[in-house]
Amino acid sequence: MRALLSTWGSRGDVEPMVALAVRLREFGADVQVCAPPDEEFVTLLARVGVPLVPLGPTVRSVVAGTRPPSGEDALRLAPELVAARFDTLAAAAEVCDVLLAGGLMPAGVRDVAEKLGIRYVYACFHTFGLPSRHFPPGTRPGTRPGTPSPQGEADIRALWEQDAQRVNGLYGEALNGHRAAIGLPPVDNVRDHVFTDRPWLAADAALCPSEGLTDLDLVRTGPWILPDERPLPAELEAFLDDGAPPVYVGFGSMAAHAPKDVARVSTEAIRAQGRRVLLARGWAGLAPADGRDDCFVVGEVNQQALFRRVAAVVHHGGAGTTTAAARAGAPQIVVPQIADQPFWAARVAELGIGAAHEGRTPTVESLSAALRTVLTPETRERAAAVAATMRTDGATVAAKLLLETVSQEMSPVPA
């Protein structure tokens, strides 16, 4: 089987696709990953030996400015990504048997698969944004730009219809223009067209329960985890060995969204609890507040190994970081910034494996209060208990399912 996996987004959108690619290859598939050409993704795919097909602009060029991307930025990016998918995937998938897509609204992928006559699968890493009769669409920053719903609108069905209209406003004209150019009829609901009736959910059942959260017929596989065997840097090992476990602080790719002065605020709050600080530089370029030796700065590092050795993880609530901390049994404080991050913060609090910070900008006082909650034996014991229930075979489950599905479709029908 020949597969092309396509995504555009942050590390949490790319690394699961790489995990699936690795498992598919181990089962004998010929697989490529179509992803943004950021240096860290180029390095990640090179590390595992999976070919990268560059797609669109780098994510860093979009999100790492001095301000968060605006609605106008989204209106420019959406048609650019649609065009990139039609151009790039049409060539890369020409000899493929299946196209699997995820990440930022992958409008254009299903359409290329339709033109080529091959299987299309949509995969998501959370249920945020999937239509539901029980919950309204999210309204936090980072959700879909466009005409807001009328103030006071309470009808959930109407709110989701308005959400679909906002997706059409972003992607509809570009998508249908490209469809017409290759002889395909227009679609009137881009969101539902992309999601299909049966999307795959690559998330842990405890962290992301799906019952009652969407009207779609989800296929649960478990999270797609890429094993990381890299040793920790010697200097980091020395820091970890030189005292009690530190508290990790990182905001990943949240460069423009990172809370103001978060490095200083976090450092003061952590020191107030008598703990050392492990600061992840990330795309926000976090730097220590002073030169004291109780604070260590790390770049891109093996989180699977690191999180098992920290007292707690303070982060933005990306799906990947939340899952990594939960698997490691590390108590966590989620300071959500955009999109699905409030969902993960709420789940962490509901499970008792950490705390959800109220508001996007922590103070020394608010973060200190959250730390007092998570730096307790009870929270660590609960985090360890949840970690013991989490499955690690999601990429294997998905790889086998994809191989079986495509194999059945390729099998000749008996006369």
Side-chain angles (χ1 to χ4, degrees), residues 285-307:
L286 300 186
D290 52 45
R292 291 172 54 177
D293 62 5
D294 66 343
C295 181
F296 190 90
V297 179
V298 297
E300 201 281 316
V301 70
N302 180 348
Q303 290 185 342
Q304 294 172 23
L306 179 59
F307 286 177

Side-chain angles (χ1 to χ4, degrees), residues 72-334:
E72 290 75 18
D73 294 328
L75 287 167
R76 286 191 294 269
L77 178 64
E80 180 180 357
L81 288 177
V82 170
R85 292 183 183 114
F86 273 88
D87 293 343
T88 302
L89 298 177
E94 191 172 9
V95 295
C96 288
D97 304 302
V98 61
L99 255 173
L100 183 145
L104 180 66
M105 185 61 66
V109 183
R110 180 178 183 178
D111 316 275
V112 171
E114 182 182 348
K115 181 64 176 179
L116 295 175
I118 62 176
R119 173 76 171 177
Y120 165 78
V121 175
Y122 171 72
C124 52
F125 308 125
H126 50 74
T127 56
F128 179 85
L130 299 181
S132 169
R133 74 188 72 178
H134 305 289
F135 301 94
T139 57
R140 288 286 294 242
T143 52
R144 315 196 204 286
T147 303
S149 296
Q151 189 172 6
E153 176 66 79
D155 185 282
I156 292 177
R157 186 184 298 275
L159 289 168
W160 279 109
E161 289 174 354
Q162 291 152 17
D163 174 77
Q165 292 167 11
R166 286 189 286 272
V167 176
N168 283 345
L170 281 168
Y171 298 95
E173 182 178 354
L175 181 70
N176 284 325
H178 284 280
R179 283 179 62 88
I182 58 175
L184 296 178
V187 297
D188 58 8
N189 187 322
V190 175
R191 184 197 66 197
D192 293 358
H193 172 74
V194 169
F195 289 168
T196 75
D197 294 329
R198 205 162 188 257
W200 292 14
L201 176 61
D204 181 75
L207 284 177
C208 185
S210 58
E211 293 75 16
L213 292 183
T214 179
D215 298 335
L216 302 178
D217 182 17
L218 291 175
V219 177
R220 295 206 70 124
T221 67
W224 302 347
I225 306 297
L226 179 67
D228 195 341
E229 305 298 332
R230 294 175 298 163
L232 297 176
E235 297 85 354
L236 175 56
E237 285 278 9
F239 177 78
L240 293 170
D241 291 340
D242 195 34
V247 174
Y248 171 99
V249 180
F251 282 79
S253 60
M254 292 288 99
H257 293 278
K260 183 181 179 181
D261 211 15
V262 68
R264 180 192 61 79
V265 167
S266 299
T267 299
E268 290 186 21
I270 292 166
R271 284 173 174 165
Q273 309 306 310
R275 298 282 181 165
R276 299 185 299 157
V277 184
L278 190 56
L279 196 62
R281 190 175 297 109
W283 287 10
L286 300 186
D290 52 45
R292 291 172 54 177
D293 62 5
D294 66 343
C295 181
F296 190 90
V297 179
V298 297
E300 201 281 316
V301 70
N302 180 348
Q303 290 185 342
Q304 294 172 23
L306 179 59
F307 286 177
R308 292 195 291 267
R309 301 182 60 181
V310 300
V313 177
V314 180
H315 64 100
H316 57 296
T321 308
T322 304
T323 301
R327 286 185 65 234
Q332 46 189 308
I333 298 172
V334 182

